[in-house]
Structures are given as C-alpha cells and as structure tokens.
Amino acid sequence: MCGLVCLWGLDYVFAKAALEILQPMNLLFLKYSTGMLLVFAIKMKLDRKTLVRKKDIPFFILCSITGEILYFFCEYTAMSYIPVSLITIILAFVPAVSMIIDRLLYKRKMNYKMVIGVLMCIAGVSVVIGADFRELLQGRLIGYLLAFGAVLSWNAYNFITAEVHKHYTGPSMAFNQLFCTVLLVMPYALHTMPPIDAFTPKVIGGIIYLGLGSAGMGFLILVRGLRVLGPTISAMFSNFLPVTATIFGWVFLGETIGMLQLVGGAIVIVSSCIVITEKGKMEEQPNDREIEPDDAD
C-alpha cells in the first residue's frame, strides 16, 4: 500500500506532462485503453466465466460517467489552475463528504468521533483555501471548484458501485468499468486526438506508466491490500496521497505550497483517518458472531 501511494503520487507528475499536448479525455482514453489490456489479462486468468448482467449495464455506465469520466475530467483540468498537492488535499475530503451523504440520504448514525472528524476535515479544507484567498480571484477558484467536483463525483461513484460490486469479482468489476469508460470517451477522444508527431518519447512513456503502472499495477496492489488489510486500513494508506503528491510535485514540477496550507493538509489527513477508522468500525458491527443455539441461555 505504501508502494501504491507512491505510484498514485507519480500519476500526477506524468499526467501533467501529458496534458501539455492532450486534453483530459484524450489522456483518459489512452491511459485506460492501456490499463484495460493488463486487467483483461488478469481477468482471463482468474475469472473467465463472469459476464455482465443486462440489468447492471446502466449501473456500469453511471460508474464510468461519475467515477472515471467526471472524476478525471475535474482532476486533470484542475491541474491547470492549482498545484497537484492542493488537489490531493481536497480529494482527502472524500471520506467526510461520504459520511455527510450517509447521514443526510440514508439516515445512518454518526458517533461523536465521526462528527469531530468531519468538522476537523471541513476546518482543514477551509484553512487550505483560506491561505490561498488572494489568489482565488486570479483563477484558482476554478481549480478548487473542479477539485470539489471530483470529490462529489467520486462519492457518487462509490454509492453506485455499492449496488453492483457484490455480484462481480474484482477483476471483472474493474474490466467492465474500464471497458465501458473507453467506449464512452472513444468518439470524442479520437476526434480531438493530436497528430502522431506531437507525441514525444516523454509523453508516450508517461502514458504507458499511467496505464500499466498507475492504473494496472495500482489495481493489483489495491485488490491485494483490500484482501489482506481490509478496506479501512487500505483507505487510510490511500489517504496519505497528499504527502507523496506534495513531495513529487516539489521535486519534479517545482510546485510549492505555503506553511498554512501544509498545516491545513495535515488536519485534513488526520481527520479523514479518524472518519475512515470509525466508519470501518460501524461497518464491521453487523458482521459480529451470531449466537449459536447452545449459547441461547
């Protein structure tokens, strides 16, 4: 999982370089087309029998639109306005928004630690944006709005995925989503694709990394992490992405953020870990051991 955080941190570096000649949907198409080949090979080895149920096709389309197309459009477009480290800090707000949605739409209970974690997360994000207040009217506001758009689209994706994931293995679920995404973006991506001579070795290498490394290998590590460590601990590891993104952004892209934003980012990370931990405890409660007949008295 530490390796996964590094892989995803480098994702932003290669993506920003590729976006100098590509539009977000061009990059998404090339990245997922490459990653889909690796995931398809894994699916053929581990799960050849599982196909798509007809009634689940609309869900896969919605998963692709929210979790892939909208999410990466917002994330990649935001790179033109704010540093990648700030984008990843805003994305660490995902668990808190998930808890708020759970409470408002599904009336699920929140203990006091969850409430504190959500409030801390909101405060941390406010510090990050507040420290950038002078720059907001010079274009950075658009970047923050796009980052929040990515947060909302990813939460929508999570809730939609929960409706269908229990019927599919990990490789089948990933392949179906990747395949659907590639089909949806293909017409626009091919129509707006730059000429072949615009692809430098640096861009081609970045696309290969994004497809095989970030998407392909990242998927393998994530599935393994979920199986060995469980969803709560795995999510906490992923929540440290802002740290690697900040380091790689500074080393490779020359991006820097202020001390106050670093403090705000630390608050967001810590509070998100609190929310993830408490949410994991609540989700484990229904799985407690059932009372055996001999234990009834």
Side-chain angles (χ1 to χ4, degrees):
M1 291 302 296
C2 289
L4 177 62
V5 172
C6 292
L7 283 173
W8 283 352
L10 279 172
D11 184 297
Y12 295 93
V13 176
F14 287 104
K16 190 156 188 176
L19 289 170
E20 293 179 1
I21 67 166
L22 297 171
Q23 296 183 26
M25 291 301 99
N26 298 143
L27 180 57
L28 183 63
F29 172 74
L30 295 172
K31 170 184 176 180
Y32 274 19
S33 296
T34 306
M36 186 178 66
L37 298 177
L38 178 59
V39 175
F40 179 72
I42 298 169
K43 173 178 167 56
M44 288 296 98
K45 182 177 180 179
L46 301 179
D47 182 22
R48 294 186 179 185
K49 297 181 180 180
T50 303
L51 300 175
V52 181
R53 303 188 306 174
K54 289 184 179 180
K55 63 180 181 179
D56 290 337
I57 293 177
F59 286 101
F60 279 113
I61 293 175
L62 288 175
C63 284
S64 295
I65 292 174
T66 56
E68 314 296 347
I69 297 174
L70 284 177
Y71 174 81
F72 280 106
F73 172 80
C74 291
E75 181 182 279
Y76 286 161
T77 307
M79 292 183 189
S80 301
Y81 298 93
I82 58 178
V84 295
S85 51
L86 296 183
I87 295 174
T88 53
I89 290 174
I90 300 300
L91 292 179
F93 193 45
V94 166
V97 174
S98 177
M99 290 303 307
I100 295 172
I101 294 174
D102 269 340
R103 178 58 182 166
L104 294 179
L105 297 184
Y106 299 99
K107 308 301 180 183
R108 292 173 183 168
K109 296 181 179 179
M110 296 173 62
N111 59 34
Y112 76 95
K113 290 183 179 179
M114 290 180 175
V115 175
I116 292 174
V118 171
L119 293 177
M120 285 177 59
C121 205
I122 294 173
V125 171
S126 299
V127 170
V128 171
I129 298 176
D132 220 12
F133 184 76
R134 293 183 179 180
E135 307 292 334
L136 288 181
L137 298 180
Q138 299 179 14
R140 286 203 169 187
L141 177 61
I142 298 175
Y144 284 113
L145 291 176
L146 287 167
F148 279 113
V151 170
L152 295 176
S153 61
W154 186 255
N155 270 287
Y157 163 79
N158 284 337
F159 284 104
I160 296 170
T161 300
E163 298 292 330
V164 294
H165 82 279
K166 58 185 177 182
H167 302 292
Y168 299 90
T169 62
S172 294
M173 188 72 183
F175 175 76
N176 292 341
Q177 291 182 356
L178 291 175
F179 182 71
C180 188
T181 302
V182 169
L183 287 181
L184 288 175
V185 301
M186 182 186 295
Y188 178 83
L190 293 180
H191 180 71
T192 58
M193 194 71 68
I196 293 292
D197 55 7
F199 288 83
T200 63
K202 178 181 178 181
V203 172
I204 294 174
I207 292 171
I208 293 174
Y209 170 82
L210 292 171
L212 298 181
S214 178
M217 289 300 298
F219 160 75
L220 291 175
I221 296 172
L222 181 60
V223 171
R224 181 64 176 170
L226 289 171
R227 183 175 301 168
V228 176
L229 302 176
T232 301
I233 297 178
S234 297
M236 289 179 65
F237 268 101
S238 302
N239 213 43
F240 284 95
L241 179 60
V243 178
T244 57
T246 299
I247 294 173
F248 290 141
W250 173 62
V251 173
F252 296 107
L253 303 176
E255 295 181 345
T256 58
I257 60 176
M259 181 58 64
L260 194 58
Q261 290 171 323
L262 288 174
V263 173
I267 294 173
V268 173
I269 293 172
V270 172
S271 58
S272 295
C273 288
I274 294 174
V275 172
I276 291 170
T277 302
E278 294 304 313
K279 186 176 181 181
K281 290 179 181 178
M282 292 190 69
E283 291 176 347
E284 290 172 359
Q285 288 177 359
N287 298 323
D288 289 342
R289 183 179 68 90
E290 295 182 0
I291 299 177
E292 300 293 336
D294 293 339
D295 298 336
D297 54 355

